[in-house]
Amino acid sequence: MDTSYFSKFYKKTRLEKIQALLDANILTEEDKQFLTQAPLLSDELANSMVENQLTQYALPLGVALNLMVDGKEYAVPMVTEEPSVIAAASSAAKTIAQAGGFDTTSTKRRMIGQVALTAVPDTTHAQKQLKLHKKDVLNKANQAHPSIVKRGGGADEVMVRFIEATEKSPEFLVVHVYIDVQEAMGANIVNTMMEAIAPYLEMLTGGKVLMGILSNYATECLATAACRIPVDLLKREGLSGETVRDRLIEAAQFAYADPYRAVTHNKGIMNGIDAVVLASGNDWRAIEAGAHAYAARSGQYRALSNWEKADNGDLLGSLTLPMPIGFVGGSITIHPTAQFSQRLLSVKNAKELESVIVSVGLGQNFAALKALVTEGIQKGHMGLQAKSLAISAGATDHWIELVADELKKAPHMNLETAKTLLNKIKNK
Ligand code: NDP
């Protein structure tokens, strides 16, 4: 990737940005055409995606630059309504690229399907039966979706969990089936399999099936990103790199210890993750739900990321979370902008996409923590906040920039000040 085209990228107009990406060979002429026409969904497609479709809801798609993951550079599409997220992702990615970039690892891509049984007359006998007939359970699951087996995946493990009765719930015998979903997110594949094995499980256990469904707690599909940042890259005006490192580590420890902080810390991580998941056409509710459950796996809700000091004084960061995204299936293959995102990212498969997403999450976390323990989070937010206020006050065209510039200097940046400034500037 030739990054010389990206100098002062944020200052370019939208068309200049598209041209720079074209010149850097990240976009093709076809992509340019796609981006410069209004990339709305056709009525037919929108109608087939949801029920009772009335219109479409637009959100901006931006690009974060400089991301280096496992030695490869990426231009990352991000869809979000929140100002500063993409700027922070790019800036963190740039610092971390200077330090060698992110290294990632991931588990096999296996989803968990659950069948919950109630009123099992003898749970010990039922568990024995399930163990004895494990192969038959797997065969029946695979027969329900033979194409995933042909692709090299399919159901490959059965686990049984017993959930004791409480004051508010009866006991449950829960059969978990692990399914390699290959390049798909797999919800429909898994749900089909779980419904198909339900009658057989009733027969084996003598219980009643309550439901068969995928679990979004995808603990068999984890992705990890790690980075190592020398303190030289951390220093800020008036603060040494060591001080920034130590304060950042303390901020992460605070989020480990306090759930009130951990939620906001993790929300910052999800600012980046959701934006890429959404741009890639994936189910961000699934990723959100799994991430927060994983954050609470110890019994207390904690920070998803970890920051510590290396023996040589470098700052070490890591982030692990369930990442059951798909590269095909769902709306990914039919949504033209999701397809564009895949081209822009130039990822080849779901695992590579996982690596990019988890790295963006760790970078986003680094940017937020660094800002919090140095100049504070508001400074970075001010620019775009000022523009939004100027627009809310009624500014259009070149007035937006003029009002925003004055607002940034004003003692109180709010709508009232924006309106007063707009009036003053217009009547000059
Ligand atoms: P699909 O139902 O679209 O299934 C994936 C499809 O991709 C399969 O039909 C498969 O075809 C095809 N495919 C092509 N190439 C491959 C490959 N290399 N590896 C795997 N599959 C391939 O999507 P998913 O099952 O992934 O389900 C995702 C959707 O389900 C999302 O939209 C999600 O929002 C939704 N959903 C989520 C739920 C949840 O999270 N709890 C619940 C229900 C739905 P073939 O059959 O020929 O193998």
Side-chain angles (χ1 to χ4, degrees), residues 224-237:
T224 299
C227 61
R228 170 186 274 266
I229 310 170
V231 284
D232 285 359
L233 294 174
L234 295 173
K235 52 179 176 262
R236 313 283 292 170
E237 233 178 73

Side-chain angles (χ1 to χ4, degrees), residues 49-61:
M49 286 176 72
V50 299
E51 308 73 32
N52 301 344
Q53 192 248 152
L54 296 178
T55 181
Q56 296 179 30
Y57 184 108
L59 282 176
L61 180 151

Side-chain angles (χ1 to χ4, degrees), residues 145 147 151 181-189 214 216 283 329-330:
H145 214 296
S147 55
R151 294 183 190 281
V181 290
Q182 298 279 294
E183 293 299 313
M185 181 263 195
N188 292 314
I189 297 170
L214 154 100
N216 284 111
D283 183 337

Side-chain angles (χ1 to χ4, degrees), residues 103-419:
D103 291 318
T104 70
T105 51
S106 55
T107 62
K108 269 180 98 170
R109 294 179 39 76
R110 292 202 297 179
M111 296 301 284
I112 300 171
Q114 296 193 293
V115 178
L117 293 135
T118 56
V120 177
D122 178 346
T123 50
T124 313
H125 176 70
Q127 290 186 55
K128 272 191 197 147
Q129 283 289 96
L130 286 163
K131 209 169 164 189
L132 203 64
H133 295 279
K134 180 171 124 174
K135 273 207 166 131
D136 299 323
V137 174
L138 292 174
N139 282 340
K140 283 190 193 304
N142 284 328
Q143 278 158 17
H145 214 296
S147 55
I148 197 70
V149 182
K150 273 201 207 121
R151 294 183 190 281
D156 59 22
E157 188 55 275
V158 178
M159 307 287 274
V160 184
R161 292 169 60 231
F162 176 65
I163 298 176
E164 282 178 21
T166 70
E167 273 170 31
K168 289 191 166 183
S169 56
E171 62 181 30
F172 293 100
L173 192 72
V174 190
V175 179
H176 277 197
V177 182
Y178 293 180
I179 300 149
D180 177 339
V181 290
Q182 298 279 294
E183 293 299 313
M185 181 263 195
N188 292 314
I189 297 170
V190 174
N191 293 346
T192 306
M193 287 185 174
M194 293 309 97
E195 287 183 7
I197 62 173
Y200 184 59
L201 296 184
E202 281 191 338
M203 201 196 79
L204 283 182
T205 62
K208 281 261 156 272
V209 165
L210 180 65
M211 66 172 79
I213 178 95
L214 154 100
S215 167
N216 284 111
Y217 192 24
T219 51
E220 296 295 309
C221 185
L222 300 176
T224 299
C227 61
R228 170 186 274 266
I229 310 170
V231 284
D232 285 359
L233 294 174
L234 295 173
K235 52 179 176 262
R236 313 283 292 170
E237 233 178 73
L239 288 174
S240 72
E242 285 80 3
T243 305
V244 174
R245 174 199 63 204
D246 294 345
R247 285 174 63 78
L248 197 147
I249 291 171
E250 249 183 313
Q253 290 165 340
F254 175 34
Y256 173 82
D258 177 21
Y260 279 85
R261 172 60 204 149
V263 174
T264 321
H265 178 100
N266 291 342
K267 188 273 180 185
I269 292 173
M270 300 316 284
N271 273 344
I273 289 183
D274 282 347
V276 191
V277 170
L278 189 49
S280 70
N282 269 286
D283 183 337
W284 71 97
R285 288 87 54 211
I287 300 297
E288 276 281 339
H292 297 295
Y294 196 68
R297 67 193 179 283
S298 67
Q300 183 187 317
Y301 188 93
R302 297 188 189 281
L304 281 164
S305 61
N306 184 52
W307 292 94
E308 59 194 40
K309 183 170 135 183
D311 289 343
N312 71 347
D314 289 353
L315 174 67
L316 296 177
S318 65
L319 170 68
T320 299
L321 75 166
M323 195 45 69
I325 43 83
F327 191 66
V328 297
S331 60
I332 301 164
T333 325
I334 52 172
H335 195 294
T337 313
Q339 286 296 302
F340 163 75
S341 292
Q342 277 191 359
R343 292 199 298 278
L344 178 65
L345 268 171
S346 145
V347 287
K348 302 281 173 291
N349 52 44
K351 257 189 183 283
E352 192 182 348
L353 182 57
E354 283 181 24
S355 297
V356 169
I357 296 173
V358 72
S359 300
V360 171
L362 184 59
Q364 205 80 43
N365 185 226
F366 169 72
L369 293 182
K370 194 171 67 139
L372 278 168
V373 299
T374 55
E375 72 261 22
I377 207 85
Q378 277 310 88
K379 195 177 165 206
H381 273 267
M382 289 306 183
L384 284 166
Q385 164 98 5
K387 274 194 187 170
S388 301
L389 281 171
I391 294 168
S392 305
T396 51
D397 305 324
H398 69 288
W399 303 110
I400 299 173
E401 206 72 50
L402 289 174
V403 174
D405 284 346
E406 289 303 313
L407 254 181
K408 279 187 249 173
K409 293 181 221 150
H412 300 292
M413 192 196 274
N414 56 30
L415 187 58
E416 208 183 318
T417 318
K419 282 181 180 164

